[in-house]
Amino acid sequence: AEAPGESPAAVELAGTIDRVDLTPDGQAAVVIDYKLSRTTPLREMLAGTSLQVPIYLLAMEQLFGQQVVAAVQHPLRKGEPYWVFRPGLVPGLTPGKGDGLPTARYASLLATAQAAILKAACGIRDGHTLPALGDACELCSFTEVCRPDDVANGQSDETQAPSP
């Protein structure tokens, strides 16, 4: 067992990727995430503040051994699909609106995601379960559970003194 604050050797996550298409030669994958809310810009992924797409990329590579050449966030209500892609890996792949990730930047994205996942896992294991407040709270269906207003005002269960 790890000491509090020490990183675990591995973190097990569970989830579902909406869709994965293989390139015609079957050597690479395009991950597709259908969105009911906004798409996430690459800068949030690179900062480690948005982990959904990077987790999908890690899963495809680590669990399925499949090289990923692109991830597409496809809004179901309004807006254009947003691509995060690795330029030049698949001849003829023509991504839409989005950002290219050269090899070093792609590796940095995955490393940042892994570090953020381990940090979150350590925090959860050590009992630090307060939500990270931000713009996503406005779109979240679970605000009654995490009570972001109470957290912002320092009134969460974790910050209150225990009852006698």
Side-chain angles (χ1 to χ4, degrees):
E2 299 90 18
E6 191 176 307
S7 291
V11 175
E12 185 175 325
L13 302 174
T16 303
I17 299 172
D18 291 335
R19 177 174 154 186
V20 177
D21 290 347
L22 296 179
T23 55
D25 64 5
Q27 298 302 306
V30 176
V31 172
I32 301 165
D33 180 31
Y34 296 109
K35 305 299 291 181
L36 290 174
S37 59
R38 73 177 181 92
T39 59
T40 304
L42 179 60
R43 73 182 180 298
E44 291 179 22
M45 294 180 216
L46 289 168
T49 58
S50 178
L51 297 175
Q52 184 178 11
V53 169
I55 286 172
Y56 292 164
L57 302 176
L58 286 164
M60 290 304 300
E61 294 194 1
Q62 293 181 2
L63 297 176
F64 302 107
Q66 188 70 56
Q67 180 183 37
V68 179
V69 294
V72 185
Q73 296 174 75
H74 197 293
L76 295 176
R77 294 187 177 144
K78 62 180 180 177
E80 296 177 58
Y82 175 74
W83 289 68
V84 174
F85 59 94
R86 300 174 69 189
L89 291 181
V90 177
L93 177 68
T94 53
K97 174 187 153 195
D99 291 294
L101 276 172
T103 301
R105 202 168 181 206
Y106 182 78
S108 175
L109 172 68
L110 297 186
T112 297
Q114 287 176 315
I117 292 164
L118 289 175
K119 180 179 178 184
C122 286
I124 292 166
R125 181 200 59 214
D126 294 343
H128 306 292
T129 57
L130 290 175
L133 304 179
D135 294 339
C137 293
E138 296 172 19
L139 304 171
C140 182
S141 300
F142 300 98
T143 55
E144 290 188 24
V145 176
C146 74
R147 302 180 320 272
D149 293 335
D150 290 349
V151 172
N153 295 324
Q155 298 174 356
S156 74
D157 293 340
E158 288 186 31
T159 60
Q160 295 175 351
S163 301

